[in-house]
C-alpha cells in the first residue's frame, strides 16, 4: 500500500505555526479556490491545513455577506472574526438603512444612528431590552467596518479627479489581465415614461388649440448592457409595475426579459437574478461563439447605486465585477455616453409617429393612449436597442478607455464624440418635425425636446422608507400590483387557421408594393409554414385527449 504524502511541516518534524486569516484573506482564498487554484497550493500560500481550507469554504455565504456589508475592504483586511449582533435582524436593517441614506446624500452622525436604532427597535416590536449607547455605536461601526459617517459635501458633484484615477486603474487592470474589448461590459438602468405626450399635445396646421390630456408618466425601468467592442448587446431587462399585464396574455415570444415590483424599480434581488441567470450565460455564449475559450475572463462594470450588489456577492468563475467611484458615472460610464439616450430617443420618435398615424385615421388621442400598451412598448424598445449601431456602442467608451475606439478601425473614429451626440439628437428632432409636417400637422421643437428629455431624471432605484427597508431586509419582498394597472384588454388566443389567413392577406397586399423585397415576403411564407407544421401536433394532442 503506497504511503500517504506528508505535508512539509510534518515531514520536517516541525509543528505548523497557527495562522488566523483576516475576513478579506478568507474571501480571497475562496475566490482562488473557485477559480481552480489547487488546494495544496493554497495550503502552502496561506500556511493552512487542508481541513482548514475546506472549513473556510463551507462558510462562503456567511463570509461573503459579512464582507459585502462592510464599509471598507481595508477594515476587513484587519478583522479576523465575525462578531454578530445580539439581534441579527435589527443589525441587518440598520446597516441597510445606513446604505440607503448615504446613497441619498443624507449626512449621518453617531447620535442619529443611535436614535434610528431605537426607532427600529420599537417598530420591529423587539421584546428584549437594549440600550443603544455609544458602546453599541462603537461595536456597530466596528462590526461593519464603518470608519466615517460624514460625507464630504464638495463630493456631491461630478468628481473629475476620482474619475481620472479610476481610468488609470482600469487601463492598468485591462493590461494586467490581458482583456480585449469583447470581454469588458458595462450595464446601467434608465427610466422610461413610455406613454408620454407633449403637454400642448398635437394640433393640425389650421387649428390653434388641441384638446389636452392628463400627463402620462407611466414608467418602466430598462437595464441595458453591452461590451466595449460594440459587438454584443445583451437582451434588455425591463421592470414594470404589473406582474401579469393583460397585454401579455397568451404571448409566448418576447424580445426582452420582463420582471415586476410595485414601483418598477431595480432591486438587489432583481440585479442578482439578471447577473446570475442572464448576463453571465449570454456573455459566455457570445465569447465562445467568437473563438474565446469556454472559461474566458469577463469584466462587468457597474455604478455604485444601492441596488447593485457588491463584487463579493456577484461571484462567478472568471467573472469579475468592478464599480465606478461615486459621482463619476456622468463622466466615464459608457451607457451614460449616449447609448441609453439613443434607445429612448428612437422609441419616443416611433411612439409619436404611431400616434400621428392613429390621429390621421380619425381617432382621438385618448383612444390612442388606451390602445398603446406595454407589449407594444417592449417591442419598440427592443427594436430601438437592436438598431443602435456598433460605432455608437464602441465610441461611448472613449472617456473610460480611449484605446478601444482605435482597436480595429482608426479611420472611422469620431474624435469629437460629445459633438456627435448633440448633432445626432438634433437630427432626431429635425427628422421628427419634418415627419409631422408631412402629415399635415405641427409640433413645436420645444415639445419634441420635452418628450425626448421628460424622463432624464426618472428614478430607477427606490429610495426606501424605514418600513420598506424593514420589509426588504426581513422578507425580501417583491410585491407586485394587481393586473388591473394595465388598461388594455388582451384578445383570446387566435386559432392557427385565422393566423394563416391573415398572413395570406398580408402577402397579397405586400406583393403590390415596390418597396417590399422578395426576402421580406419569403420571411412571411416561412412563418406561415411554421404555423402549418404545428397543426398536426395540435390535432394529435386533441385525439389523445
Amino acid at each position: 500500500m503506497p504511503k500517504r504524502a506528508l505535508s512539509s511541516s510534518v515531514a520536517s518534524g516541525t509543528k505548523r505555526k497557527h495562522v488566523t486569516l483576516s475576513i478579506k484573506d478568507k474571501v480571497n482564498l475562496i475566490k482562488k479556490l473557485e477559480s481552480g487554484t489547487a488546494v495544496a497550493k493554497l495550503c502552502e500560500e496561506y500556511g493552512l491545513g487542508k481541513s482548514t481550507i475546506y472549513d473556510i469554504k463551507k462558510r462562503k455565504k456567511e463570509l461573503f455577506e459579512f464582507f459585502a456589508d462592510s464599509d471598507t475592504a481595508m477594515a476587513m483586511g484587519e478583522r479576523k472574526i465575525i462578531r454578530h449582533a445580539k439581534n441579527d435582524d435589527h443589525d441587518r436593517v440598520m446597516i441597510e438603512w445606513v446604505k440607503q441614506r448615504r446613497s441619498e446624500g443624507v449626512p449621518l452622525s453617531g447620535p442619529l444612528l443611535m436614535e434610528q436604532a431605537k426607532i427600529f427597535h420599537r417598530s420591529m416590536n423587539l421584546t428584549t431590552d437594549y440600550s443603544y449607547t455609544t458602546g453599541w455605536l462603537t461595536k456597530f461601526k466596528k462590526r461593519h467596518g464603518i470608519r466615517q459617517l460624514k460625507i464630504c459635501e464638495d463630493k456631491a458633484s461630478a468628481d473629475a479627479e476620482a474619475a481620472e484615477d479610476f481610468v488609470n486603474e482600469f487601463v492598468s487592470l485591462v493590461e494586467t489581465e490581458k482583456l480585449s474589448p469583447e470581454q469588458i461590459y458595462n450595464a446601467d438602468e434608465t427610466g422610461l415614461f413610455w406613454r408620454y405626450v407633449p403637454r400642448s399635445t398635437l394640433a393640425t396646421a389650421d387649428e390653434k388649440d388641441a384638446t389636452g390630456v392628463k400627463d402620462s408618466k407611466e414608467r418602466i425601468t430598462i437595464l441595458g448592457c453591452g461590451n466595449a467592442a460594440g459587438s454584443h448587446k445583451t437582451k434588455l431587462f425591463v421592470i414594470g409595475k404589473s406582474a401579469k399585464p393583460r397585454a401579455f396574455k397568451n404571448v409566448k415570444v418576447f424580445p426582452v426579459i420582463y420582471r415586476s415590483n410595485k414601483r418598477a424599480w431595480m432591486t438587489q434581488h432583481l440585479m442578482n437574478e439578471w447577473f446570475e441567470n442572464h448576463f453571465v450565460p449570454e456573455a459566455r455564449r457570445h465569447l465562445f461563439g467568437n473563438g474565446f475559450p469556454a472559461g474566458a475572463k469577463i469584466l462587468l462594470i457597474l455604478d455604485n447605486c444601492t441596488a447593485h450588489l457588491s463584487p463579493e456577492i456577484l461571484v462567478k468563475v472568471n467573472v469579475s465585477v468592478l464599480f465606478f467611484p461615486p459621482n463619476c458615472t456622468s463622466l466615464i460610464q459608457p451607457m451614460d455616453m449616449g447609448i441609453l439616450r439613443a434607445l429612448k430617443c428612437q422609441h419616443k420618435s416611433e411612439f409619436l409617429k404611431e400616434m400621428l398615424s392613429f390621429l390621421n385615421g380619425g381617432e382621438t388621442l385618448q383612444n390612442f393612449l388606451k390602445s398603446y400598451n406595454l407589449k407594444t412598448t417592449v417591442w419598440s424598445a427592443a427594436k430601438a436597442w437592436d438598431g443602435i449601431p456598433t460605432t455608437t456602442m464602441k465610441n461611448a467608451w472613449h472617456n473610460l478607455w480611449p484605446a478601444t475606439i482605435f482597436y480595429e478601425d482608426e479611420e472611422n473614429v469620431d474624435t469629437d464624440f460629445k459633438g456627435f451626440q448633440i448633432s445626432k439628437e438634433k437630427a432626431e428632432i429635425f427628422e421628427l418635425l419634418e415627419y409631422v409636417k408631412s402629415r399635415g400637422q405641427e409640433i413645436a421643437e420645444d415639445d419634441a425636446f420635452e418628450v425626448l428629455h421628460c424622463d432624464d431624471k426618472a428614478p430607477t432605484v427606490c429610495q426606501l422608507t424605514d418600513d420598506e427597508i424593514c420589509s426588504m431586509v426581513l422578507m425580501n419582498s417583491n410585491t407586485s400590483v394587481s393586473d388591473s394597472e394595465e388598461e388594455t384588454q388582451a384578445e383570446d388566443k387566435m386559432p392557427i387557421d385565422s393566423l394563416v389567413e391573415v398572413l395570406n392577406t398580408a402577402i397579397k397586399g405586400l406583393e403590390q408594393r415596390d418597396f417590399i423585397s422578395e426576402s421580406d415576403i419569403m420571411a412571411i411564407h416561412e412563418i406561415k409554414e411554421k404555423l402549418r407544421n404545428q397543426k398536426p401536433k395540435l390535432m394529435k394532442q386533441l385525439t389523445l385527449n
Side-chain angles (χ1 to χ4, degrees), residues 308-321:
H308 295 167
L309 294 164
S310 73
E312 288 69 41
I313 299 296
L314 298 175
V315 174
K316 282 287 185 181
V317 177
N318 281 343
V319 180
S320 302
V321 179

Side-chain angles (χ1 to χ4, degrees), residues 238-517:
V238 177
I239 307 166
K241 292 183 178 181
S242 179
K244 297 179 180 178
R246 292 194 181 117
F248 291 178
K249 185 179 179 182
N250 293 326
V251 176
K252 304 296 183 184
V253 181
F254 227 53
V256 303
I257 301 153
Y258 180 83
R259 295 294 181 267
S260 66
N261 56 51
K262 63 181 180 180
R263 294 188 180 178
W265 278 336
M266 177 59 79
T267 64
Q268 291 184 354
H269 173 77
L270 291 176
M271 186 67 195
N272 189 54
E273 184 206 339
W274 172 79
F275 177 80
E276 292 267 355
N277 301 336
H278 304 290
F279 167 69
V280 173
E282 283 190 54
R284 282 261 176 260
R285 283 195 297 270
H286 170 75
L287 291 176
F288 187 74
N290 282 273
F292 286 80
K297 293 178 180 177
I298 299 170
L299 178 63
L300 173 65
I301 314 175
L302 301 170
D303 61 31
N304 64 341
C305 82
T306 54
H308 295 167
L309 294 164
S310 73
E312 288 69 41
I313 299 296
L314 298 175
V315 174
K316 282 287 185 181
V317 177
N318 281 343
V319 180
S320 302
V321 179
L322 190 63
F323 280 85
F324 289 109
N327 308 313
C328 293
T329 55
S330 62
L331 300 175
I332 55 177
Q333 175 158 240
M335 286 293 157
D336 279 350
M337 298 293 115
I339 294 176
L340 294 178
R341 172 66 60 78
L343 181 156
K344 292 166 71 171
C345 283
Q346 181 62 34
H347 161 74
K348 292 174 181 181
S349 178
E350 292 301 318
F351 169 79
L352 290 178
K353 288 177 181 178
E354 191 165 335
M355 181 171 68
L356 284 171
S357 296
F358 200 87
L359 296 177
N360 287 333
E363 294 286 349
T364 65
L365 183 59
Q366 287 84 350
N367 286 341
F368 167 74
L369 293 177
K370 287 180 180 179
S371 69
Y372 194 89
N373 58 40
L374 197 53
K375 182 176 70 174
T376 309
T377 299
V378 296
W379 277 99
S380 172
K383 181 173 177 288
W385 181 239
D386 290 341
I388 297 175
T390 299
T391 52
T392 300
M393 298 292 296
K394 202 168 157 184
N395 289 341
W397 290 76
H398 77 293
N399 282 353
L400 176 60
W401 193 10
T404 191
I405 59 176
F406 300 100
Y407 198 80
E408 292 178 348
D409 188 358
E410 295 188 15
E411 295 180 3
N412 293 329
V413 173
D414 191 338
T415 54
D416 186 10
F417 188 68
K418 187 175 180 180
F420 166 75
Q421 288 180 14
I422 296 170
S423 61
K424 188 175 181 181
E425 183 175 300
K426 286 184 176 178
E428 191 84 41
I429 294 175
F430 178 77
E431 179 188 347
L432 181 60
L433 295 176
E434 288 299 307
Y435 179 83
V436 171
K437 288 180 181 178
S438 71
R439 309 297 291 182
Q441 297 181 322
E442 292 183 356
I443 181 173
E445 184 173 344
D446 289 345
D447 286 341
F449 185 86
E450 175 193 337
V451 172
L452 296 181
H453 291 273
C454 64
D455 46 24
D456 284 355
K457 302 294 183 181
T460 58
V461 179
C462 54
Q463 304 298 338
L464 301 176
T465 65
D466 291 355
D467 289 341
E468 288 169 334
I469 290 173
C470 279
S471 297
M472 182 186 73
V473 173
L474 301 179
M475 295 180 289
N476 198 17
S477 172
N478 193 32
T479 307
S480 299
V481 295
S482 65
D483 300 346
S484 60
E485 285 196 58
E486 254 310 300
E487 296 178 359
T488 307
Q489 294 288 343
E491 297 178 0
D492 292 333
K493 192 173 182 178
M494 288 182 68
I496 286 182
D497 288 339
S498 299
L499 286 171
V500 171
E501 189 62 35
V502 169
L503 292 178
N504 285 333
T505 303
I507 290 170
K508 185 181 293 186
L510 293 173
E511 287 173 341
Q512 300 170 6
R513 270 62 178 183
D514 56 9
F515 59 85
I516 297 296
S517 68

Side-chain angles (χ1 to χ4, degrees), residues 39 68 113 165 171 221:
V39 174
L113 256 70
D165 291 342
V171 172
T221 293

